[in-house]
Amino acid sequence: MRDAYHEELDGISHKLVEMTRLVRSAMAQATSALLDADARLAEEVISGDRAINKIDLEIEETVFDLMARQQPVAGDLRTLITSLRMSADLERMGDLAAHIAKTARRRHPESCIPNELQVTILEMGQIAGRMVAKAGSVIASQDVAMGLELDTDDDAMDKLHRKLFTVLLSPKWAHGVEKAVDITLVGRYFERFADHAVHVAGDVVYLVTGQRPEDIIDEFS
């Protein structure tokens, strides 16, 4: 019975890693759809969000079932609770990728990203992809040091987010209110996506150490 129980716990971890893979793919496709005004790709991201939601529900059902049947305590209980939190963050990251794709679809056949911001948006998409990939590695390896790196990665995303506003607020902005609104929303989606990746890694750090990342002593930095 205990072997089956721990196999189910391992299954939850595997599903979380699979969610990171799907979310990474969704963000990469959403970024491409946004920059290339690719409606077909945008639709793929939007419809593909159902697969991410399905795994989220499966994890939730498994966690509640194990809590009811096994009445876990200590480390196992912490594993189940943090798994729920990570799954919720990853599900939200899928939603954010879908929001970006919907922005691309709404403005098709035009791109809502002007030429001077194409590179910035591409970089934001790349950082988002790297962050969720690293979060997946942290879940699989339970590597505390790697988990703490996500905060630094998030700083790079925040810097690009601020850069968007510098361009938008410049007197040289010549693309109107509609594109300004689109870019403001898209920038927020990327920024929140990165925040959720940090939360996922932080939950792994808490799972392994019993401490939140901000409380970890310098030896783990």
Side-chain angles (χ1 to χ4, degrees), residues 130-147:
R130 288 197 297 269
M131 288 183 73
V132 71
K134 187 176 286 188
S137 296
V138 171
I139 293 169
S141 66
Q142 297 196 342
D143 186 326
V144 171
M146 187 187 297

Side-chain angles (χ1 to χ4, degrees), residues 11 18 31 43 96 139 142-143 162 197 204 210:
E18 174 65 7
T31 303
E43 290 291 352
L96 290 165
I139 293 169
Q142 297 196 342
D143 186 326
R162 290 192 296 271
V204 177

Side-chain angles (χ1 to χ4, degrees), residues 50-63:
R50 289 194 293 268
I52 298 169
N53 295 341
K54 181 175 181 290
I55 299 176
D56 177 47
L57 288 174
E58 289 173 355
I59 290 173
E60 183 178 294
E61 290 170 358
T62 301
V63 168

Side-chain angles (χ1 to χ4, degrees), residues 114-194:
N115 289 336
E116 63 264 38
L117 286 176
Q118 290 262 326
V119 171
T120 302
I121 292 295
L122 177 61
E123 290 178 355
M124 293 179 85
Q126 290 171 339
I127 290 173
R130 288 197 297 269
M131 288 183 73
V132 71
K134 187 176 286 188
S137 296
V138 171
I139 293 169
S141 66
Q142 297 196 342
D143 186 326
V144 171
M146 187 187 297
L148 295 173
E149 291 174 8
L150 270 289
D151 262 335
T152 301
D153 298 332
D154 189 43
D155 290 341
M157 181 68 85
D158 290 341
K159 182 179 179 180
L160 290 172
H161 192 213
R162 290 192 296 271
K163 183 177 180 180
L164 287 182
F165 282 99
T166 299
V167 175
L168 289 174
L169 296 174
S170 168
K172 296 180 181 179
W173 179 257
H175 304 287
V177 174
E178 189 175 84
K179 282 195 175 182
V181 170
D182 284 341
I183 291 165
T184 300
L185 290 173
V186 164
R188 179 61 173 164
Y189 299 148
F190 280 115
E191 190 265 340
R192 287 300 299 152
F193 185 98

Side-chain angles (χ1 to χ4, degrees), residues 190-205:
F190 280 115
E191 190 265 340
R192 287 300 299 152
F193 185 98
D195 286 345
H196 284 291
V198 173
H199 294 166
V200 170
D203 279 333
V204 177
V205 171

Side-chain angles (χ1 to χ4, degrees), residues 40-91:
R40 180 195 59 79
L41 198 55
E43 290 291 352
E44 286 184 15
V45 176
I46 295 163
S47 61
D49 190 46
R50 289 194 293 268
I52 298 169
N53 295 341
K54 181 175 181 290
I55 299 176
D56 177 47
L57 288 174
E58 289 173 355
I59 290 173
E60 183 178 294
E61 290 170 358
T62 301
V63 168
F64 290 153
D65 179 63
L66 289 175
M67 291 177 73
R69 287 191 292 109
Q70 302 290 341
Q71 299 181 339
V73 295
D76 286 349
L77 181 59
R78 191 160 70 202
T79 295
L80 293 174
I81 296 302
T82 54
S83 294
L84 279 178
R85 289 167 54 92
M86 287 187 281
S87 183
D89 274 314
L90 289 164
E91 188 275 335

